[in-house]
Amino acid sequence: MSKNLGKATAILQGRTGSTRLPGKVFLPLVGKPVMQHVYERVLHCRNIDRIIVATTNESKDDCIVELFEGIGVPVFRGSEEDPLDRYYQTASHYSIQHVVRIMADCPLVDPEVVDGVIEMYFSGGYDFCYLGGEFPTGLDVTVFSYSTLKRCWSKAIRQSEREHVTSYMSNNPELFSIGVLEKHKGLLHHRWVMDHEADYRFMKAVYEALYEPGKVFLSRDILNLLEEQPQLVQINAGIPRDEGIIRSVDEEQGSY
């Protein structure tokens, strides 16, 4: 049960220009785009007062704007190449003081986990708080203050730190008060994010088994399903964890 220590605003970051799985955030899951499912799951978070969609200025992302403006969700458009700037400009435009970063390619995001990280952020007075421990990739959530975001935006120089919004925070722990919520153990082998076609097949299997309109299924429901049907885990097993960040850092180092 949420303690309601404070409310934060979620910025739902998404674009259609993925290279590994083109248009992934707009692929259909049980009749709705992936990104809409993410939005609807975040609506169940007790400690979030608003959800803002942040997408790019590119015409290929007009579909995202049309979808969310059509259901009354505020949308901000910014740089495709500099997501950190897009995040900062979104937070500035909407006067957001406490930011929850939500990724549009994570349609299994857990509202209870998100609320837990927000509660830790407020109760500890942290600059930056994130989910740590041995959790399935795709449950990732980070919460940070506007002043922390502004500092990162003004100081981050590396391309990897502009591309991955919270990398500057993680890379410079001496500059920030950081909290880590560890809720899970032994679940690192689970992959609940959409970056490859195999991930999409996994998501379709999970949604077809668990989705009910107007309700939200949680991590424990997914784990129960995977215990009953262990073959589902193998659909997208073997794909490296955090490969996007690893690739960005490798490319950056190769440029020197």
Side-chain angles (χ1 to χ4, degrees):
M1 178 67 68
S2 169
K3 298 177 182 178
N4 290 319
L5 295 172
K7 297 283 187 178
T9 298
I11 297 180
L12 173 54
Q13 174 185 339
R15 63 188 181 94
T16 59
S18 170
T19 56
R20 286 168 291 185
L21 185 59
K24 62 182 179 180
V25 304
F26 234 72
L27 292 173
L29 278 178
V30 292
K32 295 180 183 178
V34 165
M35 192 170 179
Q36 185 173 352
H37 282 295
V38 178
Y39 166 76
E40 291 179 355
R41 291 177 69 81
V42 176
L43 285 176
H44 289 270
C45 295
R46 299 184 182 94
N47 294 328
I48 287 178
D49 59 0
R50 288 185 297 170
I51 304 173
I52 312 293
V53 169
T55 192
T56 80
N57 288 317
E58 301 298 314
S59 60
K60 59 192 173 187
D61 289 323
D62 288 350
C63 57
I64 292 176
V65 177
E66 292 169 3
L67 168 65
F68 285 100
E69 287 188 343
I71 58 175
V73 180
V75 178
F76 187 88
R77 307 190 77 161
S79 170
E80 179 176 37
E81 301 301 323
D82 189 346
L84 177 56
D85 181 71
R86 193 193 327 158
Y87 244 75
Y88 171 71
Q89 299 300 340
T90 302
S92 298
H93 181 80
Y94 287 101
S95 301
I96 301 171
Q97 295 305 307
H98 307 287
V99 182
V100 184
R101 184 182 183 221
I102 301 292
M103 302 297 293
D105 60 356
C106 297
L108 299 182
V109 59
D110 189 322
E112 289 186 352
V113 173
V114 175
D115 277 332
V117 177
I118 296 172
E119 288 170 12
M120 171 172 271
Y121 166 81
F122 280 114
S123 64
Y126 295 108
D127 298 317
F128 169 49
C129 197
Y130 66 93
L131 180 66
E134 299 173 342
F135 62 90
T137 183
L139 288 187
D140 320 51
V141 59
T142 54
V143 187
F144 43 88
S145 66
Y146 175 78
S147 59
T148 299
L149 176 60
K150 184 176 182 179
R151 187 173 190 178
C152 295
W153 173 78
S154 64
K155 298 293 185 181
I157 297 174
R158 298 178 182 175
Q159 179 58 35
S160 61
E161 293 175 342
R162 307 300 301 189
E163 182 178 349
H164 301 281
V165 174
T166 60
S167 289
Y168 184 85
M169 304 174 203
S170 301
N171 292 342
N172 297 277
E174 73 282 359
L175 300 179
F176 306 102
S177 173
I178 299 177
V180 184
L181 178 66
E182 297 192 5
K183 289 178 63 71
H184 307 93
K185 292 184 179 180
L187 300 179
L188 284 174
H189 61 291
H190 287 288
R191 181 176 173 83
W192 298 356
V193 66
M194 274 188 50
D195 272 328
H196 295 271
E197 191 275 334
D199 297 328
Y200 181 41
R201 287 190 281 115
F202 172 79
M203 293 299 174
K204 287 196 291 185
V206 171
Y207 263 78
E208 287 167 4
L210 297 177
Y211 177 73
E212 294 182 49
K215 297 182 180 181
V216 61
F217 58 90
L218 303 172
S219 298
R220 56 180 172 269
D221 301 309
I222 302 167
L223 292 171
N224 287 338
L225 172 67
L226 299 180
E227 185 174 352
E228 294 170 0
Q229 301 185 43
Q231 73 278 8
L232 297 182
V233 178
Q234 299 305 313
I235 293 175
N236 60 348
I239 302 173
R241 190 181 178 100
D242 298 326
E243 60 181 334
I245 295 175
I246 293 171
R247 184 194 67 225
S248 294
V249 173
D250 287 346
E251 290 176 352
E252 185 177 78
Q253 292 174 344
S255 67
Y256 290 112

